């Protein structure tokens, strides 16, 4: 990804474009690069900002969905953003949901794709084995409809993470925090417009999860993508961008 990562204060992030702020939040095993196609597309008309959530750096006593939400609040405050549009994948969607309940006045709209917060089947039901790269490759491939999307670079990144005991402990803590922090009672209180984009072949947060979000949210639209897994913005980026474009055309006055 040929984009400069800025490092300021305690924050590492990508920022590109001008206009209303789109704040993109990655998942537990995600990275800034997961949003490359979205960044390239939307930075022509908006200010696209992708903060790196400090899952492996945060004080371990604060490591939770709530803790990440507080970190994002610190980032928004540091950047002096008045209002933002959230786009969150997987854990990033969950963090956005927690944030919007705490600071609703700061959020104009929300795009959720494969979000946790109601249910998730982490890593396809079993945890990858340390040192077994082929097993890890199979589990990473479950994230996508097309296993080829699990590139060698992506598998190597997960492999390296899972061979670091400290990082594995943090991943387990975050996964447990996400499971404990169910938002079924909170979601009906979210009044901002929400665009839900789900892969029909998502095995981590199945399409039924997207349908439940749609039923619970007062102002939402649901889009189910064929031949698509847990990361539509990567696997079906053209369809994803078209849907989000249409959503913003309705709610944002350029």
């Amino acid at each position: 990804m040929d984009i400069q990562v800025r490092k300021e204060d305690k924050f590492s992030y990508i920022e590109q474009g001008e206009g209303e702020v789109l704040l993109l939040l990655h998942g537990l095993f995600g990275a800034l690069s997961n949003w490359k196609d979205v960044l390239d597309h939307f930075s022509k008309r908006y200010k696209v900002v992708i903060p790196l959530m400090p899952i492996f750096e945060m004080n371990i006593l604060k490591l939770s969905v709530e803790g990440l939400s507080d970190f994002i609040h610190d980032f928004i405050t540091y950047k002096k953003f008045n209002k933002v549009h959230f786009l969150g994948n997987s854990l990033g969607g969950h963090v956005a949901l927690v944030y919007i309940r705490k600071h609703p006045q700061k959020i104009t709209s929300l795009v959720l794709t494969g979000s946790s917060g109601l249910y998730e089947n982490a890593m396809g039901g079993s945890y990858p084995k340390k040192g077994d790269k082929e097993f890890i490759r199979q589990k990473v491939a479950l994230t996508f409809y097309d296993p080829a999307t699990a590139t060698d670079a992506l598998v190597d990144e997960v492999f390296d993470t899972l061979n670091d005991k400290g990082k594995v402990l943090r991943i387990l803590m975050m996964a447990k925090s996400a499971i404990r922090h169910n938002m079924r009672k909170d979601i009906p209180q979210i009044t901002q417009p929400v665009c839900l984009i789900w892969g029909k072949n998502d095995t981590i947060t199945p399409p039924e999860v997207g349908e439940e979000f749609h039923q619970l949210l007062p102002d939402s639209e649901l889009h189910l993508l064929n031949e698509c897994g847990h990361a539509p913005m990567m696997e079906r980026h053209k369809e994803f961008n078209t849907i989000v474009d249409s959503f913003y055309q309705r709610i944002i006055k350029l």
Side-chain angles (χ1 to χ4, degrees), residues 126-133 135-136 139 159 162-163:
S126 60
Y127 208 75
K129 300 174 183 177
K130 178 181 177 181
D132 187 344
K133 184 172 281 192
F135 182 85
I136 290 171
K139 289 301 179 184
F159 179 81
L162 294 176
N163 277 275

Side-chain angles (χ1 to χ4, degrees), residues 20 83-86 104 106-110 192-193 251-252:
E20 296 209 24
K83 283 209 167 189
V84 305
H85 301 267
F86 267 142
K106 301 290 289 185
I107 308 302
T108 302
S109 72
L110 181 60
Q192 287 87 344
I251 67 171
I252 298 177

Side-chain angles (χ1 to χ4, degrees), residues 3-245:
I3 301 293
Q4 181 181 2
V5 177
R6 305 185 186 190
K7 296 183 183 296
E8 299 173 8
D9 198 274
K10 63 179 180 179
F11 308 108
S12 297
Y13 65 99
I14 290 169
E15 180 178 318
Q16 187 167 303
E18 295 297 333
E20 296 209 24
V21 178
L22 312 186
L23 196 71
L24 283 49
L25 300 179
H26 61 78
L28 181 57
F29 280 93
L32 302 179
S33 59
N34 291 171
W35 293 104
K36 180 183 183 304
D37 294 302
V38 177
L39 173 67
D40 291 345
H41 181 82
F42 286 98
S43 60
K44 298 178 178 116
R45 282 164 293 159
Y46 307 100
K47 183 189 292 291
V48 181
V49 184
I50 317 174
L52 180 63
M53 291 195 288
I55 295 168
F56 302 126
E57 295 81 26
M58 178 180 285
N59 183 323
I60 202 162
L61 297 177
K62 298 180 180 179
L63 187 61
S64 64
V65 180
E66 293 264 2
L68 290 177
S69 172
D70 292 341
F71 174 85
I72 293 301
H73 183 61
D74 290 345
F75 177 70
I76 289 174
T77 302
Y78 172 80
K79 292 293 294 179
K80 298 179 181 176
F81 293 147
N82 183 34
K83 283 209 167 189
V84 305
H85 301 267
F86 267 142
L87 292 86
N89 172 243
S90 196
L91 174 66
H94 199 159
V95 172
L97 288 166
V98 172
Y99 187 95
I100 206 169
R101 287 294 292 128
K102 286 185 171 183
H103 310 283
Q105 75 283 358
K106 301 290 289 185
I107 308 302
T108 302
S109 72
L110 181 60
V111 175
L112 296 178
T113 181
S115 178
S116 58
L118 290 176
Y119 168 84
E120 65 175 322
N121 179 20
M123 294 304 292
S126 60
Y127 208 75
K129 300 174 183 177
K130 178 181 177 181
D132 187 344
K133 184 172 281 192
E134 187 53 37
F135 182 85
I136 290 171
R137 181 181 299 278
Q138 293 171 10
K139 289 301 179 184
V140 172
L142 288 175
T143 303
F144 308 102
Y145 172 78
D146 181 1
T149 310
T151 62
D152 289 341
L154 186 58
V155 172
D156 287 344
E157 183 178 336
V158 175
F159 179 81
D160 291 343
T161 297
L162 294 176
N163 277 275
D164 183 317
K165 290 182 180 179
K167 289 184 177 180
V168 169
L169 173 62
R170 286 170 171 272
I171 287 170
L172 289 171
M173 289 180 66
M174 278 306 314
K176 289 179 180 178
S177 172
I179 291 169
R180 286 195 303 266
H181 200 286
N182 188 283
M183 298 196 66
R184 186 169 281 102
K185 292 181 180 178
D186 296 306
I187 289 169
Q189 309 305 316
I190 296 172
T191 58
Q192 287 87 344
V194 181
C195 180
L196 303 163
I197 306 175
W198 244 256
K200 286 187 177 180
N201 306 96
D202 188 342
T203 60
I204 297 173
T205 50
E208 294 78 15
V209 178
E211 291 169 356
E212 185 171 358
F213 269 116
H214 184 40
Q215 292 170 1
L216 291 172
L217 286 160
D219 183 4
S220 67
E221 57 185 66
L222 173 63
H223 303 268
L224 299 174
L225 303 187
N226 292 319
E227 299 184 349
C228 182
H230 188 55
M233 74 287 183
M234 295 174 67
E235 198 165 18
R236 288 287 179 268
H237 62 89
K238 290 183 180 179
E239 293 171 73
F240 181 93
N241 290 343
T242 297
I243 291 167
V244 177
D245 257 332

